[in-house]
Structure formats: structure tokens, C-alpha cells
Amino acid sequence: MALEIKILDYGDIELESSFLVLARDCGRVRRVPVYGFLILGGQYPIVVDTGYRDNAIMETLGMRGLQFHENMIERQLANHGVKPGDVRYVLHTHLHIDHAGKDDHFPMNTTVVLNRRELECSVSGLMHPQYPKPDIQHLIERLHTRDALRLEDLELSGPVEIIPGVVMEAANAHTEGSMNVHVETAEGRATICGDVIYDFNDQIIEPIYQISDHEPQVTGNHAGSKRSEKAAIKKLLNSSRFLLPVHDKPALIEHGQVIGRLDMQIPGPVSQTVPKRNWFAV
């Protein structure tokens, strides 16, 4: 059975627009989705990112959380016949406030997997309060519980395959310890890329304030250099058939170009796989 990716809808957040794309609409508020991903078709289910803890915690960053009953992680998993206890691994693209807030909804025999450098960043104080106390405290509990946490050193080891067809690789962008998750599907490689890309249109399709050809715009929220951010985006565009960020609709890629977007406006719960159907051209 081929691996499939289901989109988990964890709600929305409202935040200042230039936080997402550098210098875009400074002072204006934009509403964006927060997605997680469920990988099915392997020996057991895998979840990538768990969303934010609750609406109130987003206020610590001056943002507004819009999470409702239907966005709860248990309900999103149940849409696909999965319970938290069925999940073998929870992988994290990184540990920011809107990515790791529901890890404590999974039992300790579900192993949370992250890049060791990201855990180091989360306790360094450099990006506080993007790494909120209750989320990181829970991970420290896992650190001291046998098999509850798995740490990779992707900058040193290179890509690591966690199950056949699912590979973790250092993103080298957004945060110091971010990772991409590559999934080999029947339609080609799909990469869950966290926040390396926030907005396809304004960063890649029609990058604002850029005049050079094939020059992506960077986000307004990154810990490294602008050059490394651009390089990481270009690498994604030239290595995967599908790109799945956390705050925008997935994109279909061909020859380094975005040629289609997943139509999320279909009836029923948002739980699409990544085949070509339901894609519309850019």
C-alpha cells in the first residue's frame, strides 16, 4: 500500500502580515490556517506537528487563536479512523508555539521525534516566547521517560529514514533545528516543510519586492541568514513533487516551479491525499 498524507486542520491564527512575508503589509492582520499531517499506509500511523495548545496561549505572542471543537487533534485523527494511542511517532518540523502544543495528548509510548538542535534552541531563551513553557516542559518529561523522545542529529548524520518511505532531513532554515519530512507517495515525493515556506504566492509565485529571476522572498520570522532561507526554499523547489507547509495550501511542483495548488474548498473535512485530483493550476 502506498503512503498517503492526510491534512489535519488545527484551526487558524491571526497575526501581523509581515511576520509571514518580509515587509508585506506591515501593520495589517492576516488570518492563516494551522495544519498538521497524518501519514498512513505504513506499518503504523505517523503524525507531523500537533498545532497550538489553546487559543489563550497565542495571545502571549500578540496573535489570536481560532481553534474550535472540530479542530481538536483527537477529532481530526478520528476523521481518518485513528486514535492518539494508535500513533507510533510524532515528528516535529520544529517546536514553535503553533507546532508542538498537543504532544501531551499522546501517550508516552508514542515516541516524539525531533532534531536535537531544535530542543537545544527551545531552551536557549533566544526565541522566547515562541517556545512556550508548558510545551517544552512536557518534552523534558519525555526526555526523562524511556523511549518517549527520540533525538536526531540531522546536520551531522544527513537524512534519516524513520520508516520505509519517510525520511527526515535538516531544513537549514527558519529555526536552527528545523527539519523537513519527505514522504514517498504513489504520485512522487511530498515534503512537509514546516515554516520554511509560509506563503507560496508572495514568496515564490509572485515574490514581492524581488526583481531577480527565480529569487524567492524570505519570511519575516527566521533565525538564520536571508541567504540560507532563500537556498532552503530553492532546494525544496528542486527536490520534491509536492510541498506541504503548515500555514498555506500544498503546492504541486514541476521543474522548480509551482504549477498547481490543492483545492481546499471541497465539501467535507479537509483530509485530502496528495494525488493530482483536486489540484488547480496556478
Side-chain angles (χ1 to χ4, degrees):
M1 182 178 178
L3 294 176
E4 296 180 340
I5 301 174
K6 304 293 186 180
I7 297 173
L8 306 176
D9 180 3
Y10 295 145
D12 295 348
I13 54 176
E14 290 182 348
L15 70 168
E16 206 264 342
S17 181
S18 65
F19 188 90
L20 298 168
V21 180
L22 186 64
R24 180 186 66 187
D25 294 336
C26 295
R28 296 187 63 180
V29 172
R30 179 167 292 218
R31 179 169 174 169
V32 297
V34 178
Y35 296 132
F37 304 92
L38 174 64
I39 303 172
L40 298 175
Q43 184 178 355
Y44 27 64
I46 292 176
V47 166
V48 182
D49 287 350
T50 61
Y52 56 96
R53 182 168 291 270
D54 51 43
N55 290 333
I57 204 166
M58 297 307 302
E59 295 177 7
T60 65
L61 279 180
M63 301 177 186
R64 182 186 181 201
L66 296 157
Q67 185 182 94
F68 304 99
H69 179 68
E70 62 268 20
N71 304 121
M72 296 297 102
I73 195 165
E74 291 86 354
R75 190 174 181 89
Q76 287 293 306
L77 291 173
N79 289 338
H80 307 289
V82 175
K83 299 177 182 178
D86 299 331
V87 175
R88 178 64 186 89
Y89 293 114
V90 170
L91 313 184
H92 278 304
T93 60
H94 62 295
L95 297 177
H96 274 173
I97 191 170
D98 50 339
H99 293 259
K102 297 288 181 68
D103 289 11
D104 56 2
H105 289 231
F106 293 86
M108 287 299 199
N109 59 3
T110 293
T111 303
V112 173
V113 186
L114 52 128
N115 204 16
R116 191 188 310 270
R117 184 66 181 138
E118 185 64 10
L119 185 61
E120 292 173 351
C121 290
S122 75
V123 298
S124 70
L126 288 175
M127 299 183 75
H128 176 76
Q130 291 198 58
Y131 297 109
K133 180 178 178 179
D135 299 355
I136 305 307
Q137 279 187 328
H138 174 72
L139 289 173
I140 299 304
E141 289 296 321
R142 286 184 173 272
L143 181 65
H144 293 279
T145 304
R146 181 173 295 276
D147 298 331
L149 191 67
R150 173 172 166 174
L151 300 171
E152 296 291 345
D153 297 288
L154 298 173
E155 300 86 357
L156 304 176
S157 67
V160 171
E161 186 174 57
I162 191 160
I163 67 168
V166 179
V167 173
M168 304 172 292
E169 182 179 25
N172 298 315
H174 190 57
T175 67
E176 292 183 35
S178 285
M179 72 177 182
N180 296 321
V181 180
H182 306 299
V183 183
E184 298 300 333
T185 76
E187 298 287 342
R189 171 181 274 197
T191 297
I192 299 167
C193 55
D195 289 354
V196 178
I197 297 170
Y198 273 138
D199 185 301
F200 279 109
N201 188 70
D202 290 350
Q203 287 187 259
I204 298 167
I205 299 170
E206 296 182 12
I208 62 172
Y209 309 124
Q210 300 298 312
I211 60 174
S212 298
D213 188 35
H214 288 265
E215 187 76 0
Q217 176 61 289
V218 298
T219 74
N221 178 32
H222 53 270
S225 71
K226 291 179 175 61
R227 184 176 183 180
S228 65
E229 293 293 306
K230 290 174 182 283
I233 293 170
K234 292 175 181 178
K235 182 178 180 180
L236 286 170
L237 290 169
N238 286 284
S239 61
S240 294
R241 178 66 168 161
F242 304 93
L243 293 178
L244 291 76
V246 164
H247 299 296
D248 200 3
K249 294 178 289 188
L252 178 62
I253 311 298
E254 191 171 286
H255 305 303
Q257 301 276 356
V258 177
I259 65 167
R261 306 295 303 283
L262 181 62
D263 183 1
M264 308 290 279
Q265 303 304 316
I266 60 172
V270 179
S271 58
Q272 294 303 294
T273 58
V274 291
K276 296 176 184 177
R277 64 181 182 275
N278 302 321
W279 293 80
F280 62 92
V282 171

